[in-house]
Amino acid sequence: MQGIVVMGVSGSGKSTLSARLGAALDCPVLEGDDYHSAANVAKMEGGHPLTDADRWPWLDRLGAALGEAASAHGIAVAACSALKRSYRERLASASAVPLRFVLLATDADEIARRMASRAGHYMPPSLLGSQLATLEPPGADEPAITLDAAERPDTLCRQALEWVDGVPV
């Protein structure tokens, strides 16, 4: 059993890559945004970044759901910002299954362009700076890979699958 968390700042392509990985692996895909409380969504819609206290219950809910899905299907994928090491540790603890992290990272201007061009998302482009400031790229001791979010989704999916296949759980 294992879980794969596609992580990065808002607009990096987490949902797109998660959906592709889920289809390729024939497994459940969890959208981290769906596990936010209404209060968290309202806060972000209002242009206010979340605090760690806001995030802990969200990470616990998502982690538990990811663990349940992975336990039931052998593997599951989730899209989640997982910006700090402590958030990744919280997800891993709540999931109770081994997790691997795929960080999507690219130029801030590209992310800002993507955020400005999408409609109907609660995360305003004004919060990109706070997300970038919060981001702690995974350390060498974490089960993670960093991919260039500017690549095409099919290329990212292939790279992620090759990494997952080549790294023992």
Side-chain angles (χ1 to χ4, degrees):
M1 289 178 293
Q2 68 174 311
I4 300 169
V5 178
V6 179
M7 61 172 285
V9 299
S10 185
S12 61
K14 299 181 298 290
S15 297
T16 299
L17 180 56
S18 294
R20 287 187 181 239
L21 286 173
L25 295 167
D26 191 27
C27 70
V29 177
L30 289 74
E31 176 55 60
D33 289 345
D34 295 343
Y35 293 83
H36 274 298
S37 67
N40 279 7
V41 171
K43 189 171 185 178
M44 289 182 282
E45 282 178 333
H48 303 285
L50 298 179
T51 65
D52 286 355
D54 296 324
R55 286 186 176 100
W56 298 137
W58 165 61
L59 293 167
D60 289 342
R61 286 189 297 273
L62 176 58
L66 180 57
E68 290 171 15
S71 294
H73 299 278
I75 190 167
V77 177
C80 175
S81 55
L83 297 175
K84 289 183 179 180
R85 182 184 193 112
S86 59
Y87 302 165
R88 296 186 290 275
E89 291 170 348
R90 187 80 173 228
L91 279 169
S93 177
S95 73
V97 298
L99 297 184
R100 298 173 196 227
F101 297 89
V102 177
L103 170 60
L104 294 176
T106 197
D107 181 81
D109 290 338
E110 171 62 15
I111 300 295
R113 183 195 64 75
R114 291 179 184 187
M115 290 180 78
S117 68
R118 65 183 182 182
H121 197 278
Y122 61 80
M123 177 70 80
S126 63
L127 290 181
L128 177 57
S130 71
Q131 287 214 324
L132 291 170
T134 302
L135 177 62
E136 295 172 2
D141 60 330
E142 291 183 80
I145 186 172
T146 299
L147 300 178
D148 183 353
E151 292 285 345
R152 295 171 37 95
D154 58 334
T155 300
L156 292 169
C157 186
R158 180 182 47 74
Q159 291 171 336
L161 289 170
E162 287 172 357
W163 176 72
V164 168
D165 286 344
V167 178
V169 177

